[in-house]
Amino acid sequence: MSLKNVYPAFPLTKRGQPSPLKLSPDRSKLLYSRDKIVIIRDVEAAGDKPIQVQLYSEHGYKVTGVEMATSGCYVASGDASGVVRIWACDNPEQILKLETPVLGGPILDIAWSADSRLLVSASKDSTIKLWDPAEPKKAKDTLPGHAGEVYALDWSPSGTQVASGSKDRTIKIWDVATGACVATLEGHEYCVLSLAVYSQVPQARQLYCRLITPESAVLAYSARSQSAQTTPLAGNNIPIANALAESC
């Protein structure tokens, strides 16, 4: 008997807790974890072929954060023990490039910079740490300021800023070069569980975050004026809110 197909399990979810769920840089693959396993699957099947799945099962603890590098060649995955593993996802042998303990507790999110040279990690101790995979023994910088666990991270397209979402219901925007918090965005009634930065035009960097709330609304933020506007989502019976932050 031989294995013909692998069918990916859905990620486990827990009320009030984030679940790592990321897209590959070309948006063709979905990355997430289930217990100690990293799952990479096609977003859509190619023609009549079944959805292609890749499983990575080398972590010794529950995987709590995962993201693919912009090159599409490597994945960084972090677990509940604070260990980050960087491994080749474009090779069937999944060759390990790096394994290092970067935190003393769970890594709640992890994100690559646009040039795949730096990583940021989020943790329960309310800090964000900036790492160089080439020198993993010591963080390049620690960004304190949140009053609760940091659940979500993303880089600006230019690689000069990092956005973070926290249990303290705020989004903070950080200058990577100085480590300074350049904006704190408020308005959410509940913790910010995920976010993503995108660019519509070169001069306008905007940030979206999505979280579960009792009401359906869009919160539009301006980092310059520190103000927020709320717009209900008509016809949406799923309680999801989006937040938009202008970070230019």
Side-chain angles (χ1 to χ4, degrees), residues 16-18 106 108 122-128 146-152 164-170 191-193:
Q17 295 294 321
L108 299 184
S123 67
K124 283 189 173 184
D125 67 1
S126 75
T127 66
I128 300 147
H146 278 294
E149 300 171 3
V150 181
Y151 288 141
S164 60
S166 171
K167 188 177 182 179
D168 65 10
R169 307 176 187 179
T170 68
C191 53
V192 180
L193 297 179

PDB file of all heavy atoms in Angstrom, residues 16-18 106 108 122-128 146-152 164-170 191-193:
ATOM      1  N   GLY A  16     -10.423  33.816  21.583  1.00  0.00           N
ATOM      2  CA  GLY A  16      -9.587  34.822  22.223  1.00  0.00           C
ATOM      3  C   GLY A  16      -8.103  34.622  22.047  1.00  0.00           C
ATOM      4  O   GLY A  16      -7.307  35.356  22.627  1.00  0.00           O
ATOM      5  N   GLN A  17      -7.688  33.647  21.218  1.00  0.00           N
ATOM      6  CA  GLN A  17      -6.273  33.396  20.989  1.00  0.00           C
ATOM      7  C   GLN A  17      -5.985  33.421  19.489  1.00  0.00           C
ATOM      8  O   GLN A  17      -6.806  32.967  18.696  1.00  0.00           O
ATOM      9  CB  GLN A  17      -5.864  32.039  21.566  1.00  0.00           C
ATOM     10  CG  GLN A  17      -5.967  31.949  23.082  1.00  0.00           C
ATOM     11  CD  GLN A  17      -4.987  32.870  23.783  1.00  0.00           C
ATOM     12  OE1 GLN A  17      -3.846  33.022  23.352  1.00  0.00           O
ATOM     13  NE2 GLN A  17      -5.436  33.511  24.844  1.00  0.00           N
ATOM     14  N   PRO A  18      -4.828  33.950  19.099  1.00  0.00           N
ATOM     15  CA  PRO A  18      -4.498  33.995  17.671  1.00  0.00           C
ATOM     16  C   PRO A  18      -4.113  32.625  17.145  1.00  0.00           C
ATOM     17  O   PRO A  18      -3.613  31.778  17.879  1.00  0.00           O
ATOM     18  CB  PRO A  18      -3.305  34.952  17.621  1.00  0.00           C
ATOM     19  CG  PRO A  18      -2.661  34.798  18.968  1.00  0.00           C
ATOM     20  CD  PRO A  18      -3.777  34.540  19.940  1.00  0.00           C
ATOM     21  N   PRO A 106       6.657  31.204  24.622  1.00  0.00           N
ATOM     22  CA  PRO A 106       6.089  31.010  23.284  1.00  0.00           C
ATOM     23  C   PRO A 106       6.321  32.197  22.356  1.00  0.00           C
ATOM     24  O   PRO A 106       6.254  33.355  22.778  1.00  0.00           O
ATOM     25  CB  PRO A 106       4.588  30.822  23.557  1.00  0.00           C
ATOM     26  CG  PRO A 106       4.503  30.421  24.986  1.00  0.00           C
ATOM     27  CD  PRO A 106       5.636  31.097  25.677  1.00  0.00           C
ATOM     28  N   LEU A 108       4.610  34.162  19.634  1.00  0.00           N
ATOM     29  CA  LEU A 108       3.214  34.308  19.225  1.00  0.00           C
ATOM     30  C   LEU A 108       3.062  34.710  17.759  1.00  0.00           C
ATOM     31  O   LEU A 108       2.021  34.482  17.170  1.00  0.00           O
ATOM     32  CB  LEU A 108       2.510  35.313  20.135  1.00  0.00           C
ATOM     33  CG  LEU A 108       2.476  34.929  21.617  1.00  0.00           C
ATOM     34  CD1 LEU A 108       1.670  35.939  22.412  1.00  0.00           C
ATOM     35  CD2 LEU A 108       1.927  33.530  21.825  1.00  0.00           C
ATOM     36  N   ALA A 122       7.156  38.131  18.208  1.00  0.00           N
ATOM     37  CA  ALA A 122       6.242  38.658  19.224  1.00  0.00           C
ATOM     38  C   ALA A 122       6.127  37.641  20.349  1.00  0.00           C
ATOM     39  O   ALA A 122       6.189  36.431  20.115  1.00  0.00           O
ATOM     40  CB  ALA A 122       4.862  38.930  18.617  1.00  0.00           C
ATOM     41  N   SER A 123       5.902  38.134  21.569  1.00  0.00           N
ATOM     42  CA  SER A 123       5.885  37.228  22.711  1.00  0.00           C
ATOM     43  C   SER A 123       4.896  37.669  23.775  1.00  0.00           C
ATOM     44  O   SER A 123       4.305  38.744  23.706  1.00  0.00           O
ATOM     45  CB  SER A 123       7.286  37.125  23.322  1.00  0.00           C
ATOM     46  OG  SER A 123       7.666  38.366  23.896  1.00  0.00           O
ATOM     47  N   LYS A 124       4.759  36.814  24.790  1.00  0.00           N
ATOM     48  CA  LYS A 124       3.847  37.097  25.893  1.00  0.00           C
ATOM     49  C   LYS A 124       4.371  38.167  26.844  1.00  0.00           C
ATOM     50  O   LYS A 124       3.598  38.702  27.642  1.00  0.00           O
ATOM     51  CB  LYS A 124       3.584  35.812  26.679  1.00  0.00           C
ATOM     52  CG  LYS A 124       2.618  34.855  26.011  1.00  0.00           C
ATOM     53  CD  LYS A 124       2.237  33.721  26.951  1.00  0.00           C
ATOM     54  CE  LYS A 124       1.130  32.861  26.346  1.00  0.00           C
ATOM     55  NZ  LYS A 124       0.685  31.808  27.273  1.00  0.00           N
ATOM     56  N   ASP A 125       5.666  38.462  26.772  1.00  0.00           N
ATOM     57  CA  ASP A 125       6.231  39.434  27.713  1.00  0.00           C
ATOM     58  C   ASP A 125       6.009  40.870  27.266  1.00  0.00           C
ATOM     59  O   ASP A 125       6.620  41.795  27.806  1.00  0.00           O
ATOM     60  CB  ASP A 125       7.712  39.163  27.956  1.00  0.00           C
ATOM     61  CG  ASP A 125       8.576  39.404  26.723  1.00  0.00           C
ATOM     62  OD1 ASP A 125       8.023  39.800  25.679  1.00  0.00           O
ATOM     63  OD2 ASP A 125       9.802  39.186  26.809  1.00  0.00           O
ATOM     64  N   SER A 126       5.164  41.082  26.250  1.00  0.00           N
ATOM     65  CA  SER A 126       4.743  42.393  25.736  1.00  0.00           C
ATOM     66  C   SER A 126       5.827  43.094  24.924  1.00  0.00           C
ATOM     67  O   SER A 126       5.687  44.275  24.598  1.00  0.00           O
ATOM     68  CB  SER A 126       4.256  43.323  26.856  1.00  0.00           C
ATOM     69  OG  SER A 126       5.331  43.841  27.619  1.00  0.00           O
ATOM     70  N   THR A 127       6.898  42.394  24.567  1.00  0.00           N
ATOM     71  CA  THR A 127       7.961  43.013  23.773  1.00  0.00           C
ATOM     72  C   THR A 127       8.019  42.420  22.372  1.00  0.00           C
ATOM     73  O   THR A 127       7.471  41.358  22.100  1.00  0.00           O
ATOM     74  CB  THR A 127       9.344  42.835  24.429  1.00  0.00           C
ATOM     75  OG1 THR A 127       9.689  41.441  24.422  1.00  0.00           O
ATOM     76  CG2 THR A 127       9.363  43.367  25.846  1.00  0.00           C
ATOM     77  N   ILE A 128       8.700  43.143  21.492  1.00  0.00           N
ATOM     78  CA  ILE A 128       8.996  42.690  20.135  1.00  0.00           C
ATOM     79  C   ILE A 128      10.508  42.635  20.019  1.00  0.00           C
ATOM     80  O   ILE A 128      11.209  43.562  20.464  1.00  0.00           O
ATOM     81  CB  ILE A 128       8.423  43.666  19.094  1.00  0.00           C
ATOM     82  CG1 ILE A 128       6.901  43.757  19.247  1.00  0.00           C
ATOM     83  CG2 ILE A 128       8.791  43.264  17.686  1.00  0.00           C
ATOM     84  CD1 ILE A 128       6.365  45.105  18.918  1.00  0.00           C
ATOM     85  N   HIS A 146       4.174  47.864  24.590  1.00  0.00           N
ATOM     86  CA  HIS A 146       2.817  47.330  24.739  1.00  0.00           C
ATOM     87  C   HIS A 146       2.557  46.976  26.196  1.00  0.00           C
ATOM     88  O   HIS A 146       3.469  46.616  26.949  1.00  0.00           O
ATOM     89  CB  HIS A 146       2.633  46.089  23.870  1.00  0.00           C
ATOM     90  CG  HIS A 146       2.320  46.405  22.431  1.00  0.00           C
ATOM     91  ND1 HIS A 146       1.141  47.017  22.046  1.00  0.00           N
ATOM     92  CD2 HIS A 146       3.034  46.193  21.298  1.00  0.00           C
ATOM     93  CE1 HIS A 146       1.143  47.158  20.728  1.00  0.00           C
ATOM     94  NE2 HIS A 146       2.276  46.684  20.245  1.00  0.00           N
ATOM     95  N   ALA A 147       1.289  47.051  26.591  1.00  0.00           N
ATOM     96  CA  ALA A 147       0.896  46.730  27.960  1.00  0.00           C
ATOM     97  C   ALA A 147       0.338  45.316  28.076  1.00  0.00           C
ATOM     98  O   ALA A 147      -0.170  44.946  29.131  1.00  0.00           O
ATOM     99  CB  ALA A 147      -0.139  47.745  28.457  1.00  0.00           C
ATOM    100  N   GLY A 148       0.427  44.534  27.013  1.00  0.00           N
ATOM    101  CA  GLY A 148      -0.075  43.166  27.025  1.00  0.00           C
ATOM    102  C   GLY A 148       0.662  42.316  26.015  1.00  0.00           C
ATOM    103  O   GLY A 148       1.576  42.788  25.314  1.00  0.00           O
ATOM    104  N   GLU A 149       0.288  41.059  25.917  1.00  0.00           N
ATOM    105  CA  GLU A 149       0.903  40.144  24.975  1.00  0.00           C
ATOM    106  C   GLU A 149       0.815  40.702  23.551  1.00  0.00           C
ATOM    107  O   GLU A 149      -0.183  41.286  23.170  1.00  0.00           O
ATOM    108  CB  GLU A 149       0.205  38.784  25.032  1.00  0.00           C
ATOM    109  CG  GLU A 149       0.268  38.139  26.407  1.00  0.00           C
ATOM    110  CD  GLU A 149      -0.604  36.898  26.501  1.00  0.00           C
ATOM    111  OE1 GLU A 149      -1.209  36.512  25.481  1.00  0.00           O
ATOM    112  OE2 GLU A 149      -0.683  36.311  27.596  1.00  0.00           O
ATOM    113  N   VAL A 150       1.879  40.510  22.777  1.00  0.00           N
ATOM    114  CA  VAL A 150       1.897  40.958  21.381  1.00  0.00           C
ATOM    115  C   VAL A 150       1.516  39.770  20.508  1.00  0.00           C
ATOM    116  O   VAL A 150       2.199  38.748  20.505  1.00  0.00           O
ATOM    117  CB  VAL A 150       3.277  41.509  20.984  1.00  0.00           C
ATOM    118  CG1 VAL A 150       3.256  41.991  19.544  1.00  0.00           C
ATOM    119  CG2 VAL A 150       3.691  42.640  21.914  1.00  0.00           C
ATOM    120  N   TYR A 151       0.426  39.913  19.756  1.00  0.00           N
ATOM    121  CA  TYR A 151      -0.121  38.799  18.984  1.00  0.00           C
ATOM    122  C   TYR A 151       0.246  38.831  17.503  1.00  0.00           C
ATOM    123  O   TYR A 151       0.270  37.789  16.853  1.00  0.00           O
ATOM    124  CB  TYR A 151      -1.653  38.802  19.085  1.00  0.00           C
ATOM    125  CG  TYR A 151      -2.199  38.388  20.423  1.00  0.00           C
ATOM    126  CD1 TYR A 151      -3.311  39.027  20.969  1.00  0.00           C
ATOM    127  CD2 TYR A 151      -1.619  37.359  21.150  1.00  0.00           C
ATOM    128  CE1 TYR A 151      -3.834  38.648  22.189  1.00  0.00           C
ATOM    129  CE2 TYR A 151      -2.136  36.977  22.377  1.00  0.00           C
ATOM    130  CZ  TYR A 151      -3.241  37.621  22.895  1.00  0.00           C
ATOM    131  OH  TYR A 151      -3.753  37.242  24.113  1.00  0.00           O
ATOM    132  N   ALA A 152       0.486  40.018  16.945  1.00  0.00           N
ATOM    133  CA  ALA A 152       0.587  40.124  15.485  1.00  0.00           C
ATOM    134  C   ALA A 152       1.671  41.103  15.076  1.00  0.00           C
ATOM    135  O   ALA A 152       1.874  42.131  15.733  1.00  0.00           O
ATOM    136  CB  ALA A 152      -0.753  40.563  14.905  1.00  0.00           C
ATOM    137  N   SER A 164       2.714  46.323  15.047  1.00  0.00           N
ATOM    138  CA  SER A 164       2.433  45.265  16.021  1.00  0.00           C
ATOM    139  C   SER A 164       1.038  45.448  16.611  1.00  0.00           C
ATOM    140  O   SER A 164       0.598  46.565  16.860  1.00  0.00           O
ATOM    141  CB  SER A 164       3.480  45.274  17.146  1.00  0.00           C
ATOM    142  OG  SER A 164       3.477  46.522  17.824  1.00  0.00           O
ATOM    143  N   GLY A 165       0.342  44.335  16.823  1.00  0.00           N
ATOM    144  CA  GLY A 165      -0.977  44.355  17.444  1.00  0.00           C
ATOM    145  C   GLY A 165      -0.939  43.567  18.746  1.00  0.00           C
ATOM    146  O   GLY A 165      -0.262  42.544  18.837  1.00  0.00           O
ATOM    147  N   SER A 166      -1.677  44.048  19.747  1.00  0.00           N
ATOM    148  CA  SER A 166      -1.510  43.502  21.087  1.00  0.00           C
ATOM    149  C   SER A 166      -2.825  43.241  21.809  1.00  0.00           C
ATOM    150  O   SER A 166      -3.899  43.710  21.403  1.00  0.00           O
ATOM    151  CB  SER A 166      -0.658  44.472  21.919  1.00  0.00           C
ATOM    152  OG  SER A 166      -0.619  44.130  23.279  1.00  0.00           O
ATOM    153  N   LYS A 167      -2.704  42.508  22.880  1.00  0.00           N
ATOM    154  CA  LYS A 167      -3.818  42.270  23.792  1.00  0.00           C
ATOM    155  C   LYS A 167      -4.282  43.571  24.439  1.00  0.00           C
ATOM    156  O   LYS A 167      -5.419  43.662  24.918  1.00  0.00           O
ATOM    157  CB  LYS A 167      -3.392  41.272  24.871  1.00  0.00           C
ATOM    158  CG  LYS A 167      -4.488  40.785  25.784  1.00  0.00           C
ATOM    159  CD  LYS A 167      -3.964  39.744  26.756  1.00  0.00           C
ATOM    160  CE  LYS A 167      -5.076  39.201  27.653  1.00  0.00           C
ATOM    161  NZ  LYS A 167      -4.551  38.157  28.576  1.00  0.00           N
ATOM    162  N   ASP A 168      -3.414  44.591  24.455  1.00  0.00           N
ATOM    163  CA  ASP A 168      -3.786  45.870  25.061  1.00  0.00           C
ATOM    164  C   ASP A 168      -4.692  46.704  24.156  1.00  0.00           C
ATOM    165  O   ASP A 168      -4.945  47.867  24.440  1.00  0.00           O
ATOM    166  CB  ASP A 168      -2.547  46.663  25.463  1.00  0.00           C
ATOM    167  CG  ASP A 168      -1.683  47.098  24.277  1.00  0.00           C
ATOM    168  OD1 ASP A 168      -2.133  46.951  23.121  1.00  0.00           O
ATOM    169  OD2 ASP A 168      -0.556  47.579  24.506  1.00  0.00           O
ATOM    170  N   ARG A 169      -5.139  46.116  23.015  1.00  0.00           N
ATOM    171  CA  ARG A 169      -6.105  46.728  22.095  1.00  0.00           C
ATOM    172  C   ARG A 169      -5.509  47.839  21.237  1.00  0.00           C
ATOM    173  O   ARG A 169      -6.233  48.650  20.663  1.00  0.00           O
ATOM    174  CB  ARG A 169      -7.324  47.258  22.861  1.00  0.00           C
ATOM    175  CG  ARG A 169      -7.988  46.241  23.769  1.00  0.00           C
ATOM    176  CD  ARG A 169      -9.115  46.864  24.559  1.00  0.00           C
ATOM    177  NE  ARG A 169      -9.646  45.936  25.556  1.00  0.00           N
ATOM    178  CZ  ARG A 169     -10.624  46.222  26.403  1.00  0.00           C
ATOM    179  NH1 ARG A 169     -11.168  47.433  26.379  1.00  0.00           N
ATOM    180  NH2 ARG A 169     -11.039  45.337  27.275  1.00  0.00           N
ATOM    181  N   THR A 170      -4.207  47.925  21.179  1.00  0.00           N
ATOM    182  CA  THR A 170      -3.570  48.953  20.371  1.00  0.00           C
ATOM    183  C   THR A 170      -2.738  48.333  19.254  1.00  0.00           C
ATOM    184  O   THR A 170      -2.339  47.170  19.303  1.00  0.00           O
ATOM    185  CB  THR A 170      -2.648  49.856  21.208  1.00  0.00           C
ATOM    186  OG1 THR A 170      -1.513  49.098  21.649  1.00  0.00           O
ATOM    187  CG2 THR A 170      -3.378  50.446  22.397  1.00  0.00           C
ATOM    188  N   CYS A 191      -8.744  42.783  21.851  1.00  0.00           N
ATOM    189  CA  CYS A 191      -7.349  42.634  21.466  1.00  0.00           C
ATOM    190  C   CYS A 191      -7.190  42.479  19.952  1.00  0.00           C
ATOM    191  O   CYS A 191      -8.069  41.953  19.274  1.00  0.00           O
ATOM    192  CB  CYS A 191      -6.723  41.441  22.191  1.00  0.00           C
ATOM    193  SG  CYS A 191      -7.629  39.895  22.026  1.00  0.00           S
ATOM    194  N   VAL A 192      -6.067  42.941  19.444  1.00  0.00           N
ATOM    195  CA  VAL A 192      -5.761  42.856  18.022  1.00  0.00           C
ATOM    196  C   VAL A 192      -5.044  41.530  17.776  1.00  0.00           C
ATOM    197  O   VAL A 192      -3.913  41.331  18.212  1.00  0.00           O
ATOM    198  CB  VAL A 192      -4.873  44.038  17.574  1.00  0.00           C
ATOM    199  CG1 VAL A 192      -4.564  43.935  16.089  1.00  0.00           C
ATOM    200  CG2 VAL A 192      -5.557  45.361  17.898  1.00  0.00           C
ATOM    201  N   LEU A 193      -5.700  40.633  17.088  1.00  0.00           N
ATOM    202  CA  LEU A 193      -5.178  39.282  16.913  1.00  0.00           C
ATOM    203  C   LEU A 193      -4.353  39.108  15.638  1.00  0.00           C
ATOM    204  O   LEU A 193      -3.537  38.188  15.556  1.00  0.00           O
ATOM    205  CB  LEU A 193      -6.321  38.268  16.907  1.00  0.00           C
ATOM    206  CG  LEU A 193      -7.136  38.168  18.211  1.00  0.00           C
ATOM    207  CD1 LEU A 193      -8.245  37.149  18.054  1.00  0.00           C
ATOM    208  CD2 LEU A 193      -6.238  37.799  19.369  1.00  0.00           C
TER     209      LEU A 193
END
